[in-house]
Amino acid sequence: MKSPESEKSNDLLDLLKQGDKQAYEKIYHTFSKELLLAAYKKTGDKLIAEEIVQNIFISLWERK
C-alpha cells in the first residue's frame, strides 16, 4: 500500500511530465533544502553545493 506522501509525489511527477510549472516549484520547495544539505556534506563548499542542486533541478525540468 502506498503512503499519502508517495501518492502526492507520484502525482507531482505526473504533472511535471506534462510541463506543469507549479508541480516543478512544489518539488523544488519540497526537496531543495535536503539536496543542498547532502551536496554540502559531500563537497564542504556552499557554492559548489548550490551549483549541484541548481544543475539537478535544471536537468529535472529539461527531462520532464
Side-chain angles (χ1 to χ4, degrees), residues 20-50:
D20 187 304
K21 290 181 183 179
Q22 288 180 327
Y24 175 80
E25 290 173 4
K26 178 69 175 173
I27 292 167
Y28 176 83
H29 291 296
T30 301
F31 296 104
S32 63
K33 288 181 185 179
E34 288 181 56
L35 287 171
L36 184 57
L37 182 59
Y40 180 74
K41 284 181 179 179
K42 289 285 187 183
T43 65
D45 186 303
K46 183 180 177 189
L47 291 176
I48 292 173
E50 289 172 346

Side-chain angles (χ1 to χ4, degrees), residues 48-62:
I48 292 173
E50 289 172 346
E51 187 175 325
I52 290 168
V53 173
Q54 181 181 24
N55 287 338
I56 289 169
F57 280 99
I58 289 170
S59 178
L60 181 65
W61 180 253
E62 289 176 342

